Amino acid sequence: MISFRLNNPTEILFGAGQIAGLATLVPAGARVLLLYGGGSIKANGVHDQVTKALSHVEVVEFGGIESNPVYETIMKAAALVRETGCNWVLGVGGGSVVDAAKFLAYVAPLDVTDPWEHLARGGAVTTILPVGAVLTLPATGSESNPVSVISNKGRHLKLPFAQDGARPRFAVLDPTTMASLSRRQLENGAVDAFTHVIEQYLTLPVNAPVQFGFSETILRVLIEWGPVLVEKNTPEARENVMWAANQALNGLIGSGVPQDWSTHMIGHALTALYDIDHARTLSMVMPSLLRHKAADKLPMLVRYARNVWGIEEEDEAVAAEKAIAATADFFARMGCPIRTSDMAEVDIEAVVSHIAEAGQLPLGEDKDIDADAIRAILREAA
Ligand SMILES: NC(=O)c1ccc[n+]([C@@H]2O[C@H](COP(=O)([O-])OP(=O)(O)OC[C@H]3O[C@@H](n4cnc5c(N)ncnc54)[C@H](O)[C@@H]3O)[C@@H](O)[C@H]2O)c1
């Protein structure tokens, strides 16, 4: 196992009615910047529940955070934070809003000429406002991790930023808020969570039976309950997918194991260039990326084939290919594309340039996915 430090202090309130808990989670005297997206929280009653629970504190609202949150919009929210003296940030929405809330918590107090440049270069952050999250779309795990994925429209970049101090102090996960999600968003959420597990599990066979066993459980739960969620959106399916998506990316299964994330980095470039939903970029890229890396990932692919898909085939290479095919079938069953040509005519060189410009090359757990490998993966995915 690789040595690791794990400190996940996010307090989780899970279940129907838990939004009322904001009354005790947010301290008296707080001035809260309530951040939200396109307004679904006003239509589905979540906004009312939140403002009722926050009646003991001052609340300033900022709506309009986009899906794949945009830096330029967050900077407008940052100006409002400074102008109104807000000292807490509460993100209410899906991963985009929660990512934006975490980024806002350290970009608002930052006193530098070009905050994007400063943060993208790993510059110091001294002040981080406390953050809370009310999650309405299970997918990203953002509600209890330190990552924000932010799109810069001016620079045509989509980059991940991580600040441990921005991990939410608390996250409210009420599965009943998922009732108003469209089928497409439900598909995206379960597929995104699935790929998060794969990027931390299908790497190298280090000694990590706890992490790998837990990853397999999360994958089996998503395979069983993802389709039920999409078809019927039942209360049981909502609970199981919401909790699985949180556990998929709260730091636990990724501790002590090599991680990949190359599908995500290629996916971020596709979203930046073609405005494709995050999860759909992942489903388009992952099968061909796994095929490209099948020899290196063979021990874990075989384990995945046996323990997740129940594939008994003795020939290991054949078992690995069957597991990759089963993965692609699952994505397709979840309504997500498995070829880039289903969504866009992709300019492969533009994708490579995006990843190079973001300083992310080479990708992968072995750091061997270079520009040529990305070209090969995208040709195969077309
Ligand atoms: N922080 C992380 O670790 C992490 C991990 C993976 C992805 N991401 C990023 O998260 C973003 C995607 O987040 P997401 O998949 O949660 O989707 P999202 O937050 O972009 O939401 C998608 C859509 O669903 C709507 N919505 C949300 N909740 C709703 C509800 N209850 N009812 C009706 N509509 C609702 C939103 O308004 C939006 O239009 C991407 O930018 C991705 O890159 C972050």
Side-chain angles (χ1 to χ4, degrees):
M1 210 180 304
I2 300 169
S3 301
F4 66 89
R5 282 175 80 156
L6 177 64
N7 176 15
N8 188 336
T10 305
E11 180 176 357
I12 304 278
L13 274 75
F14 189 98
Q18 293 281 28
I19 293 174
L22 291 173
T24 53
L25 289 165
V26 178
R31 186 174 289 170
V32 179
L33 195 286
L34 195 173
L35 198 69
Y36 61 95
S40 62
I41 65 163
K42 292 205 167 155
N44 64 12
V46 170
H47 181 270
D48 284 349
Q49 291 181 60
V50 169
T51 47
K52 189 170 165 212
L54 289 179
S55 57
H56 64 303
V57 291
E58 271 184 69
V59 178
V60 176
E61 299 197 12
F62 186 96
I65 295 295
E66 307 82 355
S67 214
N68 304 306
V70 170
Y71 174 71
E72 288 84 346
T73 308
I74 300 171
M75 292 313 286
K76 289 182 190 158
L80 186 62
V81 166
R82 289 190 294 268
E83 191 186 304
T84 54
C86 284
N87 54 15
W88 259 82
V89 181
L90 180 68
V92 183
S96 293
V97 169
V98 178
D99 277 13
K102 293 188 290 186
F103 190 80
L104 175 62
Y106 51 89
V107 85
L110 199 58
D111 188 14
V112 297
T113 331
D114 184 346
W116 176 273
E117 193 62 22
H118 178 81
L119 294 169
R121 287 179 185 278
V125 161
T126 45
T127 308
I128 305 181
L129 303 177
V131 181
V134 175
L135 188 72
T136 62
L137 193 175
T140 62
S142 179
E143 67 279 7
S144 58
N145 75 35
V147 177
S148 292
V149 189
I150 307 298
S151 295
N152 187 312
K153 285 288 173 202
R155 289 171 155 103
H156 304 288
L157 281 174
K158 183 176 185 191
L159 293 186
F161 298 84
Q163 284 292 338
D164 250 322
R167 211 188 271 259
R169 305 270 173 109
F170 62 79
V172 181
L173 280 70
D174 176 347
T176 64
T177 62
M178 296 164 61
S180 55
L181 282 165
S182 68
R183 181 180 175 123
R184 184 184 181 102
Q185 300 307 344
L186 295 170
E187 292 167 352
N188 286 349
V191 166
D192 190 23
F194 190 90
T195 64
H196 292 157
V197 183
I198 294 284
E199 300 257 53
Q200 300 167 89
Y201 165 74
L202 279 185
T203 59
L204 301 170
V206 295
N207 174 40
V210 173
Q211 294 91 321
F212 292 154
F214 194 17
S215 293
E216 287 158 2
T217 298
I218 299 172
L219 292 171
R220 286 194 299 263
V221 166
L222 291 169
I223 291 164
E224 179 179 353
W225 289 97
V228 182
L229 182 70
V230 166
E231 292 297 333
K232 303 186 182 135
N233 198 349
T234 63
E236 292 80 8
R238 284 178 209 152
E239 286 178 352
N240 295 339
V241 173
M242 194 170 227
W243 188 228
N246 174 273
Q247 297 292 295
L249 200 51
N250 71 349
L252 183 60
I253 62 168
S255 293
V257 302
Q259 302 188 15
D260 185 344
W261 299 110
S262 44
T263 297
H264 268 75
M265 295 312 129
I266 300 171
H268 290 165
L270 291 168
T271 295
L273 293 166
Y274 303 105
D275 210 16
I276 301 169
D277 301 12
H278 173 63
R280 285 162 200 263
T281 65
L282 307 174
S283 63
M284 292 179 334
V285 172
M286 186 165 266
S288 74
L289 188 137
L290 292 177
R291 288 194 172 99
H292 185 84
K293 289 279 291 176
D296 299 321
K297 290 181 184 284
L298 191 66
M300 289 307 293
L301 274 167
V302 172
R303 180 180 168 137
Y304 172 57
R306 310 251 186 272
N307 294 355
V308 175
W309 294 107
I311 293 166
E312 289 173 3
E313 167 68 49
E314 278 187 22
D315 183 301
E316 293 198 336
V318 176
E321 171 49 34
K322 284 190 173 177
I324 296 170
T327 307
D329 280 354
F330 172 65
F331 292 157
R333 211 166 356 121
M334 292 298 290
C336 286
I338 51 172
R339 302 234 147 253
T340 55
S341 50
D342 292 339
M343 301 294 287
E345 201 177 308
V346 169
D347 176 346
I348 292 179
E349 287 314 311
V351 177
V352 171
S353 301
H354 182 283
I355 296 167
E357 202 181 321
Q360 292 162 336
L361 284 177
L363 301 171
E365 67 274 26
D366 298 318
K367 292 278 167 239
D368 61 353
I369 302 187
D370 58 11
D372 275 345
I374 295 171
R375 290 185 185 102
I377 289 163
L378 287 174
R379 274 197 301 273
E380 158 121 8

